């Protein structure tokens, strides 16, 4: 997070690197919460657009805290950015000012940039399947809210991990909590600083399993899941109910490789069948042309003969 001072005013910046962008299945993504200008925020992003065609949608959101009272508002000037990682001079920047409040706590751009431009590997906005989004904010006026400690750990009613899940994933996580009370009771004396990241780690694993398909389980996906699983195991939950699902997913790499090989062979067969049909058509055309030429020669009085026969026929004497 960076700070810039201009004429006594403080403008602050935040950057968010989104990995594996092309494999994202969630309709919307939230950045981790961050504090700029003494107030908490986060970025809301729609990878495939928010009810718009072929455009990336990005919004700047004011997070609600216990420091707010009824009628709160934040009047802010802000910029949202998608960085060009090859040439910062062509970074896409959109700027606006708006008053955020309880009835409208986010504001931004439905059509921030064209998705084709974003995903084009030659443009520089996506490098190694990662894009970098940024926000810059200047807080102009705030009512009915106190600033938060810049070093404070943000606490929200729903973790950003769960926010990044679709509705069914969140509902399943809640069902798992209710059917596995040992998850909550396993560390009853642990602090909030322990339980929040612990359940966030659990949510990440469940979200992964819910949003990935068998065909997605390549080497990189398996590595990603293994990292999430290793992180979750550090919290010493009773995970006997979940481990078989994780191990099954981790074992999908070889299956996917074999399935892709079978698919490749099937494609080869299809190509060979098409080539066979093409050659059959070519042979039929050649036979047709031969029959036509024979008919034409017969019409001109030519008789068909064996080209290997001798030139002299019958008996003759010198």
């Amino acid at each position: 997070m960076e700070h810039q001072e201009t004429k006594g005013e403080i403008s602050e910046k935040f950057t968010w690197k989104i990995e594996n962008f092309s494999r994202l299945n969630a309709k919307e993504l939230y950045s981790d919460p961050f504090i700029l200008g003494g107030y908490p925020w986060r970025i809301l992003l729609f990878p495939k657009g928010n009810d718009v065609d072929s455009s990336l949608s990005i919004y700047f959101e004011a997070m609600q805290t216990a420091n707010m009272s009824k009628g709160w508002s934040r009047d802010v000037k802000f910029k949202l950015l998608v960085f060009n990682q090859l040439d910062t001079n062509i970074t896409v920047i959109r700027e606006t000012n708006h008053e955020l409040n309880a009835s409208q706590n986010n504001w931004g751009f439905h059509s921030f940039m064209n998705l084709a431009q974003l995903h084009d590997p030659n443009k520089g906005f996506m490098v190694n399947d990662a894009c970098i989004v940024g926000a810059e904010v200047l807080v102009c006026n705030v009512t009915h809210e106190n600033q938060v400690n810049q070093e404070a750990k943000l606490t929200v009613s729903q973790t950003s991990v769960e926010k990044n899940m679709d509705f069914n994933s969140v509902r399943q996580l809640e069902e798992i909590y209710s059917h596995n009370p040992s998850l909550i009771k396993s560390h009853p004396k642990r602090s909030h600083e322990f339980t929040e990241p612990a359940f966030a780690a659990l949510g990440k694993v469940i979200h992964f399993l819910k949003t990935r398909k068998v065909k997605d389980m390549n080497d990189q996906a398996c590595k990603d899941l293994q990292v999430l699983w290793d992180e979750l195991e550090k919290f010493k939950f009773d995970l006997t109910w979940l481990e078989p699902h994780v191990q099954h997913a981790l074992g999908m790499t070889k299956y996917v490789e074999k399935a892709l090989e079978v698919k490749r062979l099937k494609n080869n067969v299809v190509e060979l069948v098409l080539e066979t049909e093409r050659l059959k058509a070519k042979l039929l055309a050649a036979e047709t042309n031969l029959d036509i030429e024979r008919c034409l020669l017969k019409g001109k009085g030519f008789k068909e003969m064996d080209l290997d026969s001798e030139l002299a026929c019958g008996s003759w004497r010198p």
Side-chain angles (χ1 to χ4, degrees), residues 259-274:
L260 291 175
E261 177 64 15
V262 170
K263 183 178 181 180
R264 185 185 67 80
L265 292 174
K266 286 181 178 179
N267 289 338
N268 288 344
V269 170
V270 171
E271 291 175 2
L272 290 172
V273 169
L274 292 174

Side-chain angles (χ1 to χ4, degrees), residues 46-231:
F46 290 78
K48 298 179 182 179
N50 182 20
D51 297 326
V52 291
D53 293 330
S54 305
S55 293
L56 181 73
S57 302
I58 312 180
Y59 306 89
F60 191 61
E61 181 172 305
M63 294 189 62
Q64 301 186 42
T65 71
N67 289 341
M68 293 174 171
S69 57
K70 187 176 181 180
W72 71 269
S73 67
R74 301 179 197 169
D75 185 9
V76 295
K77 295 179 181 178
F78 66 88
K79 297 178 183 178
L80 292 172
L81 310 89
V82 172
F83 291 92
N84 188 289
Q85 300 173 60
L86 301 181
D87 184 358
T88 56
N89 292 321
I90 55 176
T91 289
V92 178
I93 304 173
R94 300 283 184 265
E95 182 176 1
T96 188
N97 62 297
H98 196 74
E99 181 183 283
L100 303 175
N101 50 51
S103 60
Q104 189 174 66
N105 69 330
N106 66 52
W107 192 255
F109 305 91
H110 296 302
S111 299
F112 186 88
M113 69 179 296
N114 184 271
L115 287 176
Q117 180 187 20
L118 174 67
H119 288 278
D120 189 335
N122 298 316
K123 297 294 185 182
F125 295 101
M126 194 79 65
V127 175
N128 295 326
D129 204 19
C131 75
I132 302 175
V133 178
E136 181 177 346
V137 62
L138 176 63
V139 180
C140 302
N141 187 47
V142 176
T143 58
H144 299 293
E145 182 181 6
N146 297 322
Q147 290 186 333
V148 298
N149 186 340
Q150 188 74 20
E151 303 301 324
K153 178 178 176 62
L154 294 178
T155 301
V156 293
S157 59
Q158 189 176 33
T159 68
S160 60
V161 174
E162 291 181 10
K163 275 289 188 180
N164 289 344
M165 298 180 190
D166 58 24
F167 173 75
N168 290 329
S169 298
V170 175
R171 182 172 59 187
Q172 186 179 28
L173 185 57
E174 292 172 348
E175 291 175 354
I176 288 171
Y177 290 167
S178 63
H179 288 93
N180 294 272
S182 61
L183 290 174
I184 300 175
K185 296 178 181 178
S186 56
H187 299 282
K189 297 182 180 180
R190 295 297 183 115
S191 65
H192 177 75
E193 286 72 16
F194 171 87
T195 56
E196 183 176 356
F199 283 112
L202 175 61
K204 289 178 181 179
V205 172
I206 293 172
H207 178 56
F208 186 101
L209 295 175
K210 285 290 293 180
T211 56
R212 295 296 192 279
K213 297 180 180 179
V214 172
K215 65 180 181 181
D216 299 326
M217 295 308 294
N218 54 25
D219 287 338
Q220 186 58 51
C222 285
K223 289 178 182 178
D224 293 342
L225 177 57
Q226 188 65 59
V227 169
L228 295 176
W229 181 247
D230 291 343
E231 180 65 24

Side-chain angles (χ1 to χ4, degrees), residues 1 14 31-36 39-43 60 135 154:
M1 198 178 301
F14 171 79
S31 71
D32 288 333
F34 55 90
I35 298 174
L36 296 180
Y39 300 93
W41 318 88
R42 63 182 170 187
I43 298 172
F60 191 61
L154 294 178

